[in-house]
Amino acid sequence: MEPGRSQRRGRPRGVVRVCRHVRHGSGRSPRPIERKPQAVSISRPRRQFAAAVATLSLLATAACSSGGGEQGERSDTGAQVAKKDRSGGTLNIGLGADPGGVDAAVVNQVWRTVARALADSLVFYNPETKRVEPWLATSWTVSDDARVYSFELRDDVTFHDGTKLTAKVVKANLESLNRPGIHSSAKTVVQGIRTIKTPSEHKVTVEFAEPNAAFLVSLSRAYGGIVSEKTARLPVEKRQNWLDGSGPFYLEEYVPNQRIVLKKRADYDWAPKYFDHDGPAYLDEVVYKIIPEDSVRNGAVIGGDELQFIYWVNAKYLPQFESAGLTISKTLNPATGTELPVNTSSTFLKDVRVRQALQSGVDRDAFVKIDSGGIDEPATGPLSKDNPYHSDQSALLKYDPERSKSLLKQAGWTKTGKDGIRVNAAGERLSLRVPADDAGWQVLQDQWKKLGIELVLDPPLPAEANEKLLSGEYDIAYWYASSPDPDVLRANYGKTTGSNRSFIADDDKTGKKLDRLLQEQNQTIDQAERQKLVDQASHILVEQAYEIPVSNDIDIWAYSPRLHDIKPVGLDQYLINAWLAKK
């Protein structure tokens, strides 16, 4: 899972129908082409990459379908420009901070940007149908118990270093994700794998010790992107700075805190069918520029010469961008958004009444108004409305401060000190410690203070944050997930397997029931049955206040009207169709 919002922005089984897909195309080997290396701070060695000689197409059947979509500007206002006239140009993208690396298996957040352009996945998650479709894997089968997954791979895919995609490479990739230094989101992909077999050059079979219904969706994420065997075997610290993937772009240079430069692969021809795109990307080059100052970054994208795209836009800048004629895109997080795991092992929060008082003491409408300028949505449950297993628990999330006060009195917090903070019979103040200090937390601090609860904002050092969030030293923590599968709930709150971020005790009977439901939903392929399990688990999470869902995040992109067809898939940034109109 990804870290919380305060780190990622300045502010803010119906029977499973496994689609059989047939791929047609030439099996001839491509001819290597040599490219000259360039001297850079972190330099690419001399290497070769393959030029495609075959025109390929995926003839996919959509036995998998469902409704749904995502928010945001997805239409091509330059549709009158023929595809043959869209090629060329450099897209400059502004980043507020260096992502800390280029490999999404190693560093958080880079999956949104650079990593998705460099490394493809075995499967693709279609945000409109909410189904998994072919990508590097042309077809797959899943055992009835969701324990054994067998994939047939394309035989025409090469990595940026010229090596070919094989079952052996996929095996090396999956094995590499279980090493120290790989972040937790990537590790969840391979958690519980018993064996990985390669019965042929282009077939790989993965067997889990226990059922894993979320595996396909997990594989679709950028942090599960397939890299070359050489990259997969690199020490983790080196993967932060370099990787060879099979994506439509390759890494030309990475100068930390300055820029990341990607170049188009002329031989790329295996984009997911969703993009309706044959051949290489339109753009010749993509440059991510690190520009920390909002005013400088904003001015650059408004001018349109230095930058043509920025994201994670603060809502307060929207009027400025709109008046300047920029295109604004808004995408709803398909997972959780801002959620607060509650430490049930904490002295005061062992009492469910105190936790419930916190839950009903959150004015979510006011929170999003201040934290995001009203752009985000108040949470209606542990999962976002864009998650295919969204469970509406809004009846339990109504703002009711009088109920909160009554619950606190029932819990023994009947007296109030001169500072307005409640005191129990032992003279202890109802003071809770949290690991952040930003506008959102300040809103919660103010709302809960009106109930007589003190919130101490005590953020750890950034390098210590992930570890400390799992240490149990805070009363309430934060987290944020973006995977469009309900298994994010097990990953975060499961006790048998999972992070148990609420520190549910062994003798907590309701907690045991919750854990059973979270484990069972990931062992259930039948969609309707899985939804029932998710609904029950979501109800318990909210009613028992093991977590406090606050808001569902909407990512804002702002870009030049010259830029067309840049695609948000979930929160990932896809560049295969992006093109720049001529000035």
Side-chain angles (χ1 to χ4, degrees):
M1 300 302 104
E2 294 78 36
R5 180 185 198 133
S6 61
Q7 289 188 358
R8 69 182 180 87
R9 303 194 209 185
R11 58 118 185 140
R13 165 160 123 79
V15 176
V16 68
R17 293 186 288 180
V18 181
C19 304
R20 279 296 191 179
H21 302 270
V22 181
R23 179 177 50 77
H24 299 276
S26 169
R28 293 174 289 173
S29 300
R31 175 175 57 87
I33 294 177
E34 184 176 8
R35 180 173 59 81
K36 295 180 180 179
Q38 297 186 15
V40 294
S41 297
I42 297 177
S43 61
R44 162 175 281 273
R46 180 179 298 271
R47 59 182 69 229
Q48 297 176 326
F49 63 90
V53 296
T55 300
L56 304 166
S57 65
L58 282 177
L59 303 178
T61 59
C64 306
S65 65
S66 72
E70 65 185 53
Q71 298 183 11
E73 177 64 49
R74 297 182 56 83
S75 61
D76 172 21
T77 56
Q80 67 274 16
V81 178
K83 290 185 178 181
K84 65 182 179 63
D85 296 325
R86 299 179 184 180
S87 297
T90 296
L91 171 60
N92 297 285
I93 299 177
L95 300 180
D98 191 293
V102 296
D103 189 343
V106 181
V107 295
N108 278 308
Q109 302 305 337
V110 72
W111 51 264
R112 294 172 181 256
T113 55
V114 178
R116 192 70 284 178
L118 296 175
D120 299 332
S121 296
L122 287 179
V123 297
F124 176 79
Y125 179 82
N126 187 319
E128 295 173 354
T129 66
K130 305 291 191 295
R131 298 289 183 171
V132 172
E133 300 175 353
W135 197 350
L136 298 184
T138 61
S139 64
W140 54 87
T141 59
V142 183
S143 64
D144 291 340
D145 61 358
R147 287 180 56 249
V148 182
Y149 292 77
S150 294
F151 300 89
E152 295 286 345
L153 308 177
R154 296 184 66 121
D155 59 9
D156 60 334
V157 174
T158 58
F159 295 95
H160 308 154
D161 63 358
T163 59
K164 294 182 177 182
L165 172 71
T166 64
K168 181 182 177 183
V169 173
V170 173
K171 183 176 187 291
N173 269 260
L174 296 177
E175 291 173 341
S176 77
L177 297 183
N178 204 27
R179 294 184 294 169
I182 298 295
H183 73 67
S184 60
S185 297
K187 283 188 175 180
T188 60
V189 179
V190 297
Q191 186 178 35
I193 290 180
R194 174 183 287 169
T195 63
I196 305 173
K197 299 178 180 179
T198 56
S200 67
E201 185 178 11
H202 294 101
K203 182 174 182 177
V204 59
T205 298
V206 180
E207 180 183 353
F208 287 87
E210 299 290 339
N212 187 346
F215 186 49
L216 288 176
V217 173
S218 298
L219 283 177
S220 74
R221 308 309 310 287
Y223 45 70
I226 304 299
V227 298
S228 69
E229 186 171 6
K230 180 180 179 181
T231 300
R233 299 193 187 285
L234 282 176
V236 170
E237 61 273 13
K238 290 188 177 181
R239 286 182 61 161
Q240 286 181 264
N241 298 324
W242 201 264
L243 70 80
D244 282 307
S246 65
F249 295 87
Y250 62 84
L251 181 64
E252 179 68 13
E253 69 170 351
Y254 171 31
V255 185
N257 298 309
Q258 293 186 39
R259 64 186 175 273
I260 304 171
V261 180
L262 312 183
K263 295 283 189 177
K264 174 171 70 176
R265 285 190 62 183
D267 60 337
Y268 187 85
D269 194 20
W270 44 84
K273 186 179 181 181
Y274 173 80
F275 295 104
D276 189 25
H277 188 111
D278 296 324
Y282 296 128
L283 295 166
D284 289 335
E285 182 180 62
V286 179
V287 181
Y288 291 89
K289 298 181 179 181
I290 316 304
I291 306 176
E293 299 82 6
D294 283 358
S295 60
V296 177
R297 198 167 62 253
N298 294 349
V301 75
I302 290 173
D305 291 327
E306 184 180 356
L307 295 179
Q308 295 81 46
F309 181 98
I310 60 174
Y311 74 119
W312 288 353
V313 174
N314 191 312
K316 69 182 181 181
Y317 301 126
L318 285 183
Q320 178 186 11
F321 290 150
E322 289 168 345
S323 64
L326 297 185
T327 303
I328 306 299
S329 173
K330 302 175 184 179
T331 304
L332 177 64
N333 182 341
T336 61
T338 298
E339 56 173 327
L340 313 179
V342 178
N343 185 351
T344 60
S345 71
S346 175
T347 302
F348 302 145
L349 299 178
K350 292 177 182 178
D351 192 323
V352 65
R353 294 169 296 188
V354 177
R355 304 199 305 266
Q356 290 170 333
L358 291 169
Q359 189 78 279
S360 60
V362 177
D363 185 341
R364 291 164 177 82
D365 291 318
F367 178 92
V368 300
K369 184 176 181 180
I370 297 173
D371 186 50
S372 71
I375 295 297
D376 293 344
E377 298 181 354
T380 58
L383 296 170
S384 157
K385 290 180 180 178
D386 201 44
N387 192 287
Y389 289 86
H390 170 252
S391 180
D392 190 347
Q393 301 297 325
S394 54
L396 298 173
L397 296 174
K398 293 179 180 179
Y399 179 48
D400 189 347
E402 295 307 313
R403 176 177 183 266
S404 296
K405 293 174 184 178
S406 176
L407 286 165
L408 290 171
K409 290 179 180 179
Q410 294 173 36
W413 299 95
T414 57
K415 298 180 180 180
T416 302
K418 293 181 179 180
D419 58 358
I421 303 304
R422 292 178 182 268
V423 181
N424 62 13
E428 299 171 305
R429 297 172 70 253
L430 185 45
S431 180
L432 306 174
R433 182 166 164 256
V434 300
D437 183 1
D438 60 18
W441 280 103
Q442 290 162 17
V443 172
L444 295 172
Q445 184 182 51
D446 181 63
Q447 291 181 1
W448 286 338
K449 186 175 181 180
K450 294 175 181 178
L451 306 177
I453 302 171
E454 179 182 56
L455 205 61
V456 177
L457 310 183
D458 185 18
L461 294 173
E464 302 172 340
N466 284 353
E467 180 181 351
K468 288 201 169 187
L469 290 179
L470 291 170
S471 68
E473 66 177 88
Y474 293 101
D475 298 289
I476 306 171
Y478 60 79
W479 204 244
Y480 170 91
S482 60
S483 179
D485 189 274
D487 196 50
V488 295
L489 300 181
R490 179 201 56 82
N492 279 354
Y493 302 105
K495 183 174 173 63
T496 305
T497 66
S499 299
N500 191 19
R501 294 184 182 276
S502 296
F503 300 92
I504 296 172
D506 292 339
D507 61 353
D508 185 334
K509 293 182 179 180
T510 307
K512 285 183 177 181
K513 180 180 179 181
L514 172 64
D515 183 57
R516 175 180 60 78
L517 292 167
L518 292 175
Q519 304 304 324
E520 285 184 6
Q521 63 79 30
N522 195 37
Q523 300 172 7
T524 304
I525 295 179
D526 184 284
Q527 185 174 353
E529 288 303 315
R530 194 180 188 201
Q531 183 70 66
K532 291 179 182 178
L533 295 166
V534 173
D535 287 343
Q536 293 178 64
S538 297
H539 182 87
I540 292 173
L541 278 166
V542 174
E543 195 275 331
Q544 292 289 302
Y546 291 125
E547 69 137 315
I548 300 174
V550 180
S551 65
N552 295 146
D553 301 344
I554 293 178
D555 272 15
I556 306 174
W557 297 356
Y559 50 96
S560 165
R562 291 179 55 221
L563 177 59
H564 302 278
D565 292 339
I566 185 166
K567 293 274 191 177
V569 176
L571 301 182
D572 293 0
Q573 188 182 105
Y574 281 79
L575 302 175
I576 183 66
N577 274 342
W579 60 281
L580 286 165
K582 304 297 186 289
K583 291 183 180 180

